[in-house]
Amino acid sequence: MKYSRPHLDDHVVVWLAWVSQAGPFLKEGEIYLNRQDHERAARFRFAEDRARFVLGRGLLGQCLGRYLDYPTEPLELAYTAEGRPFLPRDSTTQFSISHGRDLVGVALSRGTLVGIDLEYVAADFNFDEMAERIFSAADLKSFQALPAQEKLPAFFSAWTAKEAYLKAKGVGISEGLREVSVTRLPKDSVCTVTDARDPEDEKKWRLRALPVPADYRGTIAWNDPSKQIDFHFLPLPSPP
């Protein structure tokens, strides 16, 4: 299906795909790797890490082609001092890439900052210790009051929301997690974010939980409340 450039003026598009089911698409994804990307891919110790990286580049290249008629060729990306990737030839188009275990996702829009974060909900994850590092005092108190069975998914929902927001702003993930507060994100909900360092962000930023499988959590963040989210799963079969 072909999409038009104006679609990105009105929407934030999100494309997700399973790494384990990508198959031939991974080969196609290598078309979009530039020389530095090939060198980076070769340094990955594990094949699954390399596959996530290649699939992320492939999804981005496919989206740029579908919506903006970018040619099918290696992508030339640049990076900010904080490590945020951007398109040096196109300052209007914004994108974000994330992966969590077997899922890779890309968010894309024009004239709007976007951030996406995906995480696998690992049952053996020590979330109590991590919660003290990433939650504000008020959020930590609310989190600790939750029933035990709700804490694990609630932690990952909050984590992805915070990281999506910080990635969209282009600031370091390690800085500011405790300064950011988010309401709980039920499925398909949209909420605001509160940043102690920038009170005005509550008026312009939105967060939305992504409709991912139950053992994953994902959040998209964007700073134009008028834009809608257009969500797609790459048409591949789901893992068994």
Side-chain angles (χ1 to χ4, degrees):
M1 182 183 296
K2 187 68 177 177
Y3 300 92
S4 64
R5 179 182 297 262
H7 192 72
L8 291 184
D9 295 327
D10 301 326
H11 295 78
V12 176
V13 298
V14 180
W15 283 78
L16 266 63
W18 296 108
V19 179
S20 61
Q21 300 295 314
F25 187 80
L26 286 175
K27 206 65 175 172
E28 184 178 346
E30 293 190 1
I31 297 172
Y32 299 100
L33 302 183
N34 59 36
R35 180 176 59 81
Q36 292 84 359
D37 288 337
H38 277 290
E39 293 174 353
R40 179 178 174 183
R43 290 195 295 270
F44 285 115
R45 181 179 179 183
F46 299 107
E48 56 267 30
D49 292 329
R50 181 181 185 278
R52 294 184 190 104
F53 175 73
V54 174
L55 183 55
R57 286 292 192 272
L59 283 176
L60 176 60
Q62 286 276 315
C63 286
L64 291 172
R66 286 174 182 266
Y67 296 98
L68 300 174
D69 292 321
Y70 269 50
T72 305
E73 62 184 26
L75 296 172
E76 296 302 328
L77 305 181
Y79 296 84
T80 65
E82 292 77 21
R84 176 186 172 88
F86 64 93
L87 298 162
R89 59 181 276 192
D90 184 355
S91 60
T92 302
T93 300
Q94 302 290 326
F95 69 91
S96 181
I97 302 174
S98 183
H99 61 77
R101 198 165 182 171
D102 198 35
L103 274 182
V104 171
V106 169
L108 188 74
S109 193
R110 284 175 56 82
T112 302
L113 295 175
V114 295
I116 185 174
D117 192 63
L118 300 167
E119 300 288 344
Y120 175 72
V121 181
D124 59 350
F125 186 78
N126 185 2
F127 58 82
D128 282 319
E129 178 182 341
M130 183 64 78
E132 295 181 358
R133 295 168 53 186
I134 74 167
F135 285 126
S136 65
D139 287 347
L140 181 61
K141 184 177 180 179
S142 298
F143 174 75
Q144 291 174 335
L146 291 174
Q149 69 272 19
E150 294 183 21
K151 284 188 174 180
L152 182 64
F155 171 83
F156 278 98
S157 292
W159 190 1
T160 60
K162 288 169 177 273
E163 293 215 5
Y165 165 72
L166 293 172
K167 288 170 68 174
K169 292 197 73 173
V171 299
I173 296 299
S174 61
E175 302 292 334
L177 283 170
R178 296 186 66 183
E179 306 297 323
V180 176
S181 294
V182 295
T183 57
R184 295 183 66 189
L185 283 168
K187 185 177 180 181
D188 295 331
S189 66
V190 176
C191 77
T192 57
V193 59
T194 302
D195 190 336
R197 300 162 303 176
D198 193 347
E200 290 298 310
D201 278 8
E202 185 174 0
K203 299 177 182 178
K204 58 189 177 184
W205 283 90
R206 295 293 181 268
L207 303 173
R208 179 174 175 178
L210 294 173
V212 293
D215 51 350
Y216 287 85
R217 287 295 182 274
T219 304
I220 179 76
W222 72 104
N223 70 337
D224 184 344
S226 70
K227 289 197 175 186
Q228 302 297 311
I229 302 298
D230 184 14
F231 179 84
H232 302 266
F233 243 108
L234 195 67
L236 297 170
S238 299

